Amino acid sequence: MTSASAAQPADLFAVCPPGLEPVVAGELRARGVADGREVPGGVAFTGDPLWANRALATPTRIVQRVAAFPAKHFGALQAGARAVDWAPFGGLTPEVTCRKSKLYHSGAVAERLAAVVPPGPGTLHARLFHDVCTLSVDTSGERLHKRGWRVETGPAPLRETLAASLLRLAEWAPGEALFDPMCGSGTFLIEAAVWAAGRAPGADRAFACEAWCPPGPVPSWPAVPTVIAGGDRAAAAVGAAQRNAARAGVEIDVTAKDAKHQAPPAETGLLVCNPPYGKRAHGVATAYERLGELLAGPFAGWRAAILTPDAEAARRLRRPAKAQFSVKNGGLGLRWVIC
Ligand SMILES: C[S@@+](CC[C@H](N)C(=O)[O-])C[C@H]1O[C@@H](n2cnc3c(N)ncnc32)[C@H](O)[C@@H]1O
């Protein structure tokens, strides 16, 4: 049996959507965490939960493993749970998954755990797999895409954690100019600007683990001067993007213009775009025409990365794809086309 209390460094797991594990592992390495280990659904590593929640831009949430033990029957399950000092974590509510185990009824497992673990609003993840029970406490609270700055959204906004992951999949890093011609509420631009400013993406919100972690300093890194700009044909979207950026403590250069009137702010860089999609969205067909014109014209010297549900539409970009990644946003399957 292994079990731990809230002592540091903790056994942590950065949860992410399937397929994005290498991105999270890369971010951990870049932030100096050497022991990241990719497993399906996330990356295991050791560290300070509060630092991880504040510093990491790409995971969905961070959970802290507190115990792992064999549990073929309820007696073993409750004995394992009793061995943990639950006091630091406040009250918890079990969420259980069972696979390939003698204890297969998740409701019954949750009931037995609830009889041992002090109840409350935090989440205790219990996973039974091949008769081994792993108990992990959620350290994040609200999911990590809720940075706190995106108070205003437009149609189909991107999750902030996904935008941060897509930038990394496109091999963008501060220093390279970034432009989003259909920026909506500004998610790509603001994620990039926060990164370039050396600000921690989770600097401005609270996390569940503040109940048991020492406060510690908010991490920050040297700023890298970076041109970050874009636009949107909807003036309301541009206003929302500017106000969201101000709430995030960064500046972005966005103008209310149709893509066909937008000009590159530098000779080279990365153009990113999440064009409108869906039957009820306006301008879906023309959006790809406009992007094709930009990429063949004023942005010819730029790299591009487009998020699209539509393989046909991607052909209208007039550039061959160099790489493609499958991702999900809001339950919809999308492709991130690098061209
Ligand atoms: C899916 S939304 C982008 C959402 C954005 N990534 C976010 O996270 O908020 C698509 C945006 O494209 C804009 N748009 C559509 N056609 C355009 C065009 N021709 N020129 C500029 N913006 C356009 C829409 O106004 C809308 O804000």
Side-chain angles (χ1 to χ4, degrees), residues 68-205:
F69 50 86
K72 288 190 177 169
H73 48 80
F74 289 126
L77 177 78
Q78 290 190 311
R82 267 194 206 99
V84 178
D85 174 12
W86 295 105
F89 301 113
L92 298 169
T93 302
E95 278 185 11
V96 181
T97 54
C98 302
R99 281 184 56 216
K100 300 184 177 171
S101 295
K102 289 211 164 57
L103 295 178
Y104 62 87
H105 194 290
S106 55
V109 170
E111 250 174 51
R112 298 314 197 281
L113 288 172
V116 173
V117 179
T123 304
L124 172 64
H125 298 281
R127 180 170 180 261
L128 275 133
F129 187 55
H130 286 296
D131 296 319
V132 172
C133 177
T134 307
L135 298 178
S136 307
V137 177
D138 172 48
T139 74
S140 300
E142 276 204 293
R143 280 187 290 178
L144 294 179
H145 73 272
K146 300 259 185 192
R147 315 272 201 228
W149 50 258
R150 198 170 69 184
V151 175
E152 297 169 75
T153 59
L158 271 184
R159 286 220 167 112
E160 294 81 340
T161 44
L162 178 61
S165 298
L166 294 176
L167 288 170
R168 287 158 174 86
L169 276 177
E171 297 180 4
W172 183 84
E176 182 180 17
L178 187 77
F179 191 85
D180 182 349
M182 303 183 189
C183 69
S185 54
T187 316
F188 276 130
L189 300 178
I190 298 170
E191 280 298 313
V194 168
W195 185 5
R199 291 168 59 92
D204 298 322
R205 57 159 278 188

Side-chain angles (χ1 to χ4, degrees), residues 150 154-158 180-188 232-234 237 257-259 262 274-277 282-283 287 290:
R150 198 170 69 184
L158 271 184
D180 182 349
M182 303 183 189
C183 69
S185 54
T187 316
F188 276 130
D232 198 289
R233 68 178 180 183
K257 278 186 187 167
D258 191 283
Q262 294 178 18
N274 166 211
Y277 51 79
H282 292 297
R290 294 285 165 271

